[in-house]
Amino acid sequence: MKEYNIVVASDKNYIGFVSVLFASILANKTEDECIRFHVLANNIPLSQIEQLKEQVGSQSLSVYTITDFQKRLNTKLPNTIAVTSYARLFLSEILPDTINEVLYLDCDIIVNNSLENIFSLNMSDYAVAGVLDTLPNEKAKSNIGLKDNDIYINAGVLYVNLKKWRLDGIQNRFIDFLLQHNGCVYHHDQGIINAVLNKSKLIIGPEFNLTSNYFTHKYNYLKKRNKPFYTYEEIERAKVNPVIIHFTEGFLDRPWVIGSQHPFKNKFLEYKQASIIANEPLQSSKKTWYVKLLGYEFTHLPLIFYQVTSFALSMLSKVIKK
């Protein structure tokens, strides 16, 4: 029996999506795979934890309270990101020493196939494996000390070599980097991970973290702004048969939003029916009119329309602020 350890971090606002994720993992595992779920919980009601245990089996779920873990950072964090997100920096301390490797997943994800190929990775020379991020602009790299052609991965899916993290004292290096930047790192914990682990990252295929940008952005647009990057064929194969689908914020509404046009919306809704939020209604879109306009122009019209509108809105915003 193959045992796979999977960890997520959540608060009460996202625990329903965690349940959908768990439902998708269980639906796609093979008979010889045993899944051990780990939840880093920030103020999640006991009633919801009990629902999760009922869903996956109480022996298969471990819960770790992280409500007060911000004290360990010894610095004030920006308000632009939930403190729960930083919990992944402390995986080597929070999880038992008996776990040498773990797959970290964001809450806005579903699994679409067996995870065997991730858990079979040879990580002996690497601290983390991940998928190249899309659109990390110049600041995303330069502000954390990376060169333009350095690897920059999306932190929503991370295969972590916990044994190496412990041996190399990586958690302390994360904290040191955060303190050096006075608690304000570009792209937050994702920036910290990419900077500190710059020479110890293994690139895996886009099928292991298929974000929404792959469906809305043309290949040449992505390739021009990302070094290194995948081939056109690699991305097209991933879009047809992804292993992990990441419903990132972007021009596409996420599948739990009414009217979403995401290509894998129905997959999400299928797994939602097997989750603790099966009977909860879909949400209304919170996008403003100008975000919807920019999204339509970017995905349906020549790029110049998007660029002109974006510039005009930027100028208008500056005038209003004055």
Side-chain angles (χ1 to χ4, degrees), residues 248-261:
T248 47
E249 190 72 63
F251 292 134
L252 279 176
D253 275 322
R254 288 162 158 173
W256 53 85
V257 173
I258 297 171
S260 170
Q261 298 297 311

Side-chain angles (χ1 to χ4, degrees), residues 3 5 38 64 92 95-101 162 166:
E3 183 171 296
N5 287 285
H38 305 266
Y64 312 82
S92 60
L95 298 179
D97 291 342
T98 53
I99 300 176
N100 291 323
E101 295 180 357
L162 288 175
R166 296 182 183 112

